[in-house]
């Protein structure tokens, strides 16, 4: 049996960290709280075309960062759901128990070491 409590604590704290990071480049989609959208920096007083280009650039960077953060955020949330469902620590491919070293390296892991590449 896997002791899920330690992993749960790590997942909860990582989720909080990710939410803080997500909030620096995006905001929760008002019509879908499970979705995050990138935010553009404020435009300032007058609409200078150079400013607009820079805003779009920063927006693009934010969107890329947000995308990576969101992928990880969803993995962490899925792992927490599996803890609630009692299926945590079971490989999603083979159904076997996930190695402890694998879970230590990544508490959000959904597969055993043999199935890391096959999701
Ligand atoms: Zn497996």
């Amino acid at each position: 049996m896997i002791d899920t409590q330690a992993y749960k604590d790590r997942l909860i704290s990582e989720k909080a960290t990710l939410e803080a990071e997500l909030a620096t480049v995006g905001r929760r989609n008002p019509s879908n709280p499970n979705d995050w959208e990138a935010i553009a920096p404020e435009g300032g007083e007058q609409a200078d075309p150079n400013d607009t280009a820079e805003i779009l650039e920063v927006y693009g960077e934010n969107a890329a960062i947000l995308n990576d953060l969101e992928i990880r955020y969803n993995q962490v949330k899925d792992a927490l759901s599996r803890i609630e469902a009692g299926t945590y620590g079971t490989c999603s491919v083979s159904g076997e128990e996930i190695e402890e070293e694998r879970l230590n390296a990544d508490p959000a892991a959904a597969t055993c070491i043999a199935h890391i590449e096959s999701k």
Side-chain angles (χ1 to χ4, degrees):
M1 255 328 262
I2 297 164
D3 173 23
T4 53
Q5 190 56 50
Y7 298 119
K8 187 176 178 180
D9 290 345
R10 282 177 59 188
L11 287 163
I12 286 171
S13 88
E14 185 175 353
K15 182 166 173 260
T17 304
L18 286 165
E19 280 172 353
E21 287 174 7
L22 280 162
T24 65
V25 290
R27 59 171 191 171
R28 279 182 204 272
N29 183 339
S31 54
N32 177 6
N34 287 322
D35 188 36
W36 288 76
E37 54 190 21
I39 46 174
E42 293 297 321
E45 301 293 295
Q46 64 274 78
D48 184 323
N50 291 324
D51 286 352
T52 307
E54 198 181 313
I55 287 167
L56 285 174
E57 196 185 318
V58 174
Y59 179 80
E61 286 166 5
N62 282 353
I65 296 167
L66 186 112
N67 196 43
D68 287 346
L69 287 172
E70 208 175 6
I71 289 169
R72 180 64 189 165
Y73 183 66
N74 287 331
Q75 287 171 350
V76 168
K77 279 205 309 186
D78 287 350
L80 285 166
S81 304
R82 290 195 296 276
I83 289 176
E84 297 307 320
T87 58
Y88 181 78
T90 305
C91 175
S92 65
V93 177
S94 63
E96 285 169 41
E97 197 165 283
I98 299 174
E99 298 85 351
E100 244 178 282
E101 59 174 309
R102 168 98 167 108
L103 290 172
N104 270 321
D106 178 8
T111 59
C112 68
I113 293 169
H115 297 116
I116 283 177
E117 297 300 333
S118 49
K119 292 215 167 138

